[in-house]
Amino acid sequence: MINQKFRLLFYIAIMAFGLTACNNSEKNTSKSSEVTFKKEGTLQLKKASNDSVIKTLDIEIADDEYQTQTGLMYRNSMKESQGMLFIFPNETERSFYMKNTRIALDIIYISADSTIVSFQKNAKPFDETSLPSNAPAKYVLEINAGLSDAFNIEAGDKISFLIDK
């Protein structure tokens, strides 16, 4: 009789622990914190014809494998004065896509000598279609969709940037 009561209490304790563990894991997976912009430098877009500054942006840097793979994924918004600069170790043809990216973007491909070589304008959120550079690029700048046209940026224009220490 005592052995049966002990066994029953043991099973109740295990079930209670199991329910608590499941409940805690559900809470942990349902929480999602918004990814926010972290200013890591400034970038200037410059006209090729006269080196005048078109626009100065606060930039977040993506320069390692994890950062370049995730980019602006899971962001809900970005200010007009912000962008993300991808810095790659070499210059080669690149291709981006919009998987898990919630905001429409202009993707600007830039050569090793800081010259804008091509654009992919108005990239659609969540679209996994390949968006190629069509020319070798060492840098890629992502800004809100439509800003390339609003800023009147053209192939041949330049960038310069400083990374905060």
Side-chain angles (χ1 to χ4, degrees):
M1 186 71 128
I2 294 176
N3 196 15
Q4 282 181 326
K5 286 183 180 177
F6 177 73
R7 211 179 279 157
L8 181 61
L9 285 173
F10 179 74
Y11 288 129
I12 290 172
I14 287 177
M15 287 176 34
F17 175 77
L19 289 174
T20 303
C22 288
N23 195 19
N24 284 341
S25 72
E26 286 180 59
K27 286 180 186 174
N28 289 339
T29 57
S30 67
K31 289 181 184 176
S32 64
S33 58
E34 183 179 342
V35 181
T36 57
F37 183 83
K38 180 183 176 195
K39 181 183 181 293
E40 297 175 308
T42 54
L43 179 141
Q44 289 187 329
L45 294 158
K46 298 179 178 182
K47 269 295 175 206
S49 58
N50 59 13
D51 208 34
S52 64
V53 174
I54 300 168
K55 185 73 175 175
T56 300
L57 302 171
D58 292 335
I59 53 170
E60 190 168 341
I61 305 292
D63 61 359
D64 66 28
E65 187 173 348
Y66 175 77
Q67 293 168 331
T68 57
Q69 291 297 317
T70 55
L72 291 171
M73 290 179 177
Y74 313 110
R75 311 288 177 109
N76 292 323
S77 64
M78 185 170 58
K79 294 179 182 175
E80 183 177 306
S81 61
Q82 297 174 330
M84 178 170 275
L85 180 66
F86 295 78
I87 302 173
F88 294 96
N90 60 349
E91 181 179 56
T92 188
E93 290 202 14
R94 308 246 173 243
S95 186
F96 276 46
Y97 62 93
M98 298 290 287
K99 181 179 180 179
N100 297 320
T101 306
R102 299 172 181 165
I103 53 178
L105 298 172
D106 286 349
I107 301 170
I108 304 169
Y109 294 100
I110 305 157
S111 67
D113 72 353
S114 301
T115 302
I116 295 171
V117 294
S118 66
F119 299 86
Q120 289 288 344
K121 296 180 182 181
N122 298 304
K124 295 176 183 74
F126 302 106
D127 188 352
E128 294 187 35
T129 304
S130 179
L131 302 168
S133 62
N134 300 316
K138 179 177 173 70
Y139 308 102
V140 178
L141 177 64
E142 291 182 337
I143 57 177
N144 287 320
L147 292 181
S148 294
D149 288 337
F151 298 157
N152 195 28
I153 304 169
E154 301 171 313
D157 288 342
K158 299 269 192 177
I159 67 160
S160 64
F161 62 91
L162 292 171
I163 298 173
D164 297 342
K165 298 289 179 185

